[in-house]
Amino acid sequence: MDAEELAARWRERLEAWAIPEEILAQAPADPWSHSPERFGARTDRALSEPDDGPTMTRLVEALPDGGTVLDVGSGPGASSLPLGERIGHLYAVDASARMLEGLTLRADKLGVPVTTIHGRWPEVAEQAPVADVAIAAHVVYNVPDLAGFLRALDAHTRGRVVLELPHRHPMSWMTPLWQHFHGIDRPVRPVAEDCVALAAALGFPVRVEEREAPLERFSSLEELAASACRRACLDPSRADEVAETAAELGMWPLPRDRWVTVWWD
């Protein structure tokens, strides 16, 4: 299958994750939103407890001292700021202004020079220079035009491109709850192998490493229930019911994800 066919299949599979309109219309909050506070806490943990997994290893070995880093879908900087003093300049791209504000505050404290670019990649790619290394962590499942995304990332990197993504769609853990509360099944794909196949079909010499995620998804059943209420378009007042249901369905504790690192030079 060629790149065009793989790209179309990726888009179609992502579109299948759309929430039915009749359910979305009843949502008390945006089910696809991300919490800057939650992401900020993960960034602070990444800074205080550096991860020596394959993603950081591949970035470190490819980044020259004082080199430039392009972080696409940066959030508050969990995947780039741990590079610390090795960074000569960080270019951070994110669609959330609040996420970029959190990154800027942390970069200033670390003494990392940073330029933020507010918007979606690759629409804002022209605002970014060519960097020594690029990282796009936990982003691709939000990208319908993955071929365009990867081409622009490669074009803006003179050294190494690194992707990190869970093996399955990040909302896959909620499938039993969708079945229970709404009577609908959620898709199975795309999965990491689909991203790897497309990158290879685009001509990139991809290499792949996989590991167990270093972090638990939730620290408590209550945290899981609060997140599930938002993701499944349920009123927050039903959190106790959701927690009880999750426990009955054997969803707690959740098994850790498998994280996949994809990279090429």
Side-chain angles (χ1 to χ4, degrees):
M1 192 175 297
D2 64 20
E4 184 176 348
E5 292 174 304
L6 290 169
R9 182 168 293 186
W10 176 273
R11 180 187 293 275
E12 291 168 2
R13 286 169 170 168
L14 269 191
E15 289 174 348
W17 278 91
I19 296 172
E21 285 297 329
E22 64 273 16
I23 296 175
L24 190 60
Q26 302 173 22
D30 180 1
W32 299 111
S33 64
H34 296 292
S35 165
E37 292 76 20
R38 179 176 169 85
F39 275 57
R42 289 191 172 185
T43 299
D44 292 337
R45 176 169 177 175
L47 290 169
S48 63
E49 303 174 21
D51 178 25
D52 60 357
T55 298
M56 187 55 60
T57 298
R58 298 309 170 198
L59 287 170
V60 168
E61 67 185 17
L63 179 63
D65 287 334
T68 52
V69 178
L70 174 62
D71 187 351
V72 173
S74 64
S79 298
S80 54
L81 288 179
L83 290 165
E85 62 186 15
R86 295 182 63 90
I87 302 175
H89 201 100
L90 171 62
Y91 296 88
V93 181
D94 203 280
S96 167
R98 289 186 63 195
M99 295 283 193
L100 291 175
E101 289 170 3
L103 181 145
T104 299
L105 288 172
R106 290 171 174 83
D108 288 346
K109 290 180 181 179
L110 294 169
V112 174
V114 61
T115 297
T116 60
I117 301 171
H118 181 212
R120 294 188 178 278
W121 189 270
E123 285 82 357
V124 296
E126 291 184 358
Q127 299 178 41
V130 175
D132 290 305
V133 300
I135 172 68
H138 301 271
V139 176
V140 299
Y141 288 110
N142 294 325
V143 180
D145 180 16
L146 186 56
F149 182 97
L150 296 178
R151 286 191 180 105
L153 202 59
D154 184 76
H156 281 77
T157 311
R158 67 174 60 88
R160 176 171 293 171
V161 175
V162 182
L163 311 175
E164 184 176 83
L165 64 155
H167 180 263
R168 300 189 303 159
H169 191 284
M171 294 297 107
S172 294
W173 68 273
M174 283 196 54
T175 293
L177 295 176
W178 276 98
Q179 293 169 335
H180 178 87
F181 287 103
H182 296 298
I184 63 174
D185 290 325
R186 303 306 278 147
V188 174
R189 301 186 83 152
V191 294
E193 285 91 337
D194 299 319
C195 174
V196 173
L198 176 54
L202 290 170
F204 305 135
V206 293
R207 301 182 68 175
V208 181
E209 297 170 86
E210 185 172 335
R211 61 165 171 162
E212 182 179 71
L215 303 174
E216 301 287 354
R217 183 178 288 274
F218 301 109
S219 60
S220 67
L221 179 56
E222 291 73 22
E223 185 183 7
L224 177 152
S227 178
C229 282
R230 185 176 74 255
R231 301 299 185 196
C233 305
L234 301 172
D235 192 276
S237 64
R238 301 182 70 179
D240 289 345
E241 178 189 0
V242 172
E244 182 179 346
T245 300
E248 291 175 352
L249 292 172
M251 294 178 62
W252 184 258
L254 280 178
R256 291 197 180 190
D257 289 336
R258 299 294 299 176
W259 283 5
V260 180
T261 300
V262 183
W263 57 280
W264 67 86
D265 293 321

